[in-house]
Structure formats: structure tokens, C-alpha cells
Amino acid sequence: MTTYREAIREAIAEALTADERVFLMGEDVGAYGGCFAVSLGLLERFGPERIRDTPLSESAFVGAGIGAALGGLRPIVEIMTVNFSLLALDQILNNAATILHMSGGQFNVPLVIRMTTGAGRQLAAQHSHSLEGWYAHIPGLRILAPATVEDAGGMLAPALADPDPVLIFEHGSLYNSTGEPGTGPVDITTAAVRRPGRDVTLIAYGGTLHKALTAADELAAGGIEAEVVDLRVLRPLDEATVIKSIIHTHRAVIVDEGWRSGSLSAEVTARIVERAFYELDAPVERVCSAEVPIPYAHHLEEAALPQVPAIVTAARDVVSS
């Protein structure tokens, strides 16, 4: 058994060992070991040329990562949290995601950006965003959301092998979670059915997957068998796995920590309606975060986020309708 954090650290170490073009850079990734201790000990193992602390300037070091990728290196850029990625949005959207297109296919940007996302840790309104749905809107990017220890470790190598930019969103609540470490690289193109079922499909990703699985256990105790689909890859979405599950269960509940309006859950709902409307026996339900800045107070934060009782209620509603 290992932790989600340790699985990412080992994956970075393996990448650094396997390819001398790979290096890690970001705020406090070196001497401090990373804000969430993901890179702890890597500076001592690989030295300052490959574990590079950066100034507090997301625009600058993401831009430097893009330049390094264009120059033939394979940078892993760590942005402390998704909230700070907004300071590098121009670099990500207008450079990393577009250079291949604007160069007529001449220049790929093989850049990997890792960042923490999500709420649930009493970090208040400015440090609790779930903006991966925003990034999933942008052509030219691949968006990953590992929810298991195996995916946390196994997604990095194929992300580094991708010739185009890959953003990996690590939910902050998962770093201490434990599981089997996996046996190597994993697929980064498809969703995964984490639990089979016949009555309703629960669609989740990242920090909401384990809530969906817990909800499925509670539903099973009441005789409702929920199939749980882990999206894993938020762009490009694996429609086939989602639609196959809907054809099987005829009902869907989407669990998304993002705000409901304009969310990834809205996109998944639209795809289901476009592709499988006549397979549905009930309207698609969504369980999302309340449309408020995430509160600091623990009880209010819990009330604002998708929780297991709300998922169970939504699933029972669609099954009984």
C-alpha cells in the first residue's frame, strides 16, 4: 500500500531517472519539498538542476516551461493550486494550447502541468476552487483527474509522452488516501467503471469519486444497484463509456464539485441528451457545489459541497421517477 502523494512522487522520480530531459519546477518544490510534500526528498536525489524552485510568478514559470518544452525538454510544472493557475491563464490558453495550431503543426508543446484542486480543507474562498471544468473547455489541452492511487502514479508517464500539453488536477483531499500503487503507466484516454450496477449510473471524477462509491454502497443496502463511472479524463471526454453505461441503467446522476452553471456536469448532461436521450427513463440529475464562494467555516463548507446524502437522494429520485 502507498499513498496518493507517494505514488505521484515515485512517478516523478521514475520519470527523472528514465529521461534526462525531464525536470520539475514550481514554487517550493525543492528545499521545502512541495506545498503538499509531493516532491519531498527529490532535490536531494536529483539536484537543483532538475528540481528547480521558482519565484512566486506563475505566469513566468509556466511560460518558462512552455519555452523549455519547445526547446526539446520535458518539463513538469507544479502550480501550487488551481487558484493560482489563473495568474498563468494567458500562458496556458494563448500559448501552450494554441502554438501547435498557430504554427501550422510545426511546434508541439510537450508540457505537463500538475496542480491541486478542490475544497474540503477549510482553505476558504480563494483557495478552494474546482476549475478543471474551465480548462476542459479549451481545445489543445488534455485534462486528467486521477482519483485513485494507481492513476495518480500511472498517469504521469503517458502525460510526459504526449506531444501536447497535459494538465493534471490532483484533488487536495486525496493526498493521504491509500491504495495499491499500480504496476506502471495507465491509459489516459478512457473513463473507467469503478463499480458495476444496473439501476442508475453515478458519474464522478477526482475528489467526488469516493463519495459516489460510498453513496453506491448505501444505495445497495436499499436494493438499488448503482454503476459508478470515473471520468478520469475530462478532455477529451470518453463519451463511449458514459453512453454505454446509460444504455445499461437508463438513469444518470452526475457528481461535480464545480459550480453547477456552465460546469463539466452540464457538458456531460448535454452529451447524454445528445447521444442517448431515448435511452433515459428519467431526467439526468446533478449534484454540484452550491453557487457561492466556498465558506471557511467547516459546517458551511460541508454544506456547500456535494455530499453522500445528496447523491443518495438524487439517485433514489431518478430511480423512483
Side-chain angles (χ1 to χ4, degrees):
M1 299 285 280
T2 189
T3 67
Y4 186 96
R5 173 188 293 107
E6 292 165 345
I8 298 170
R9 184 187 304 145
E10 186 56 30
I12 296 172
E14 289 177 1
L16 289 162
T17 302
D19 189 341
E20 63 181 12
R21 298 174 301 169
V22 175
F23 69 97
L24 172 70
M25 68 174 175
E27 297 159 344
D28 287 334
V29 300
Y32 189 70
C35 182
F36 296 93
V38 169
S39 56
L40 191 66
L42 295 181
L43 176 65
E44 291 76 10
R45 292 174 64 182
F46 295 98
E49 290 296 316
R50 305 187 71 194
I51 308 297
R52 303 179 73 95
D53 279 320
T54 66
L56 300 179
S57 178
E58 285 76 9
S59 176
F61 68 76
V62 171
I66 293 168
L70 286 167
L73 299 178
R74 292 293 182 271
I76 304 169
V77 174
E78 177 178 306
I79 299 177
M80 196 175 289
T81 77
V82 66
N83 318 282
F84 306 138
S85 75
L86 301 180
L87 298 165
L89 193 54
D90 183 54
Q91 301 288 6
I92 296 170
L93 171 59
N94 283 326
N95 291 286
T98 58
I99 286 176
L100 178 65
H101 170 75
M102 295 188 72
S103 68
Q106 296 182 81
F107 303 117
N108 293 94
V109 182
L111 170 71
V112 173
I113 301 176
R114 301 175 34 250
M115 65 184 90
T116 304
T117 187
R121 294 162 290 140
Q122 281 195 275
L123 295 176
Q126 295 176 320
H127 294 73
S128 300
H129 293 114
S130 294
L131 303 179
E132 49 274 13
W134 286 15
Y135 287 100
H137 178 67
I138 302 171
L141 302 178
R142 181 180 296 277
I143 307 297
L144 307 179
T148 67
V149 169
E150 180 182 14
D151 276 355
M155 283 183 165
L156 183 62
L160 284 165
D162 195 311
D164 299 312
V166 179
L167 274 58
I168 304 176
F169 289 86
E170 302 160 1
H171 197 283
S173 68
L174 296 175
Y175 283 122
N176 290 326
S177 63
T178 58
E180 295 299 327
T183 57
V186 299
D187 158 67
I188 58 168
T189 62
T190 62
V193 176
R194 299 298 187 189
R195 175 191 174 115
R198 64 173 186 273
D199 299 318
V200 60
T201 299
L202 305 182
I203 301 167
Y205 68 91
T208 62
L209 174 64
H210 300 281
K211 292 179 179 179
L213 288 167
T214 301
D217 289 340
E218 291 191 19
L219 289 164
I224 297 173
E225 292 296 334
E227 184 153 288
V228 179
V229 173
D230 175 7
L231 290 176
R232 299 178 69 249
V233 184
L234 308 187
R235 185 182 183 95
L237 275 172
D238 174 16
E239 290 183 3
T241 297
V242 172
I243 299 302
K244 182 179 180 182
S245 182
I246 300 304
I247 291 172
H248 180 59
T249 67
H250 305 288
R251 299 172 179 87
V253 174
I254 305 165
V255 188
D256 185 357
E257 196 173 300
W259 293 303
R260 184 183 182 93
S261 297
S263 64
L264 190 71
S265 69
E267 178 63 27
V268 175
T269 300
R271 304 269 185 117
I272 292 171
V273 171
E274 289 167 351
R275 297 280 306 279
F277 179 77
Y278 293 106
E279 297 290 342
L280 291 170
D281 285 347
V284 175
E285 286 279 350
R286 290 188 281 159
V287 180
C288 303
S289 288
E291 302 218 12
V292 297
I294 298 299
Y296 171 77
H298 177 66
H299 67 293
L300 294 177
E301 183 180 37
E302 290 292 295
L305 298 175
Q307 301 294 352
V308 171
I311 302 169
V312 169
T313 298
R316 285 174 175 159
D317 285 347
V318 297
V319 170
S320 63
S321 64

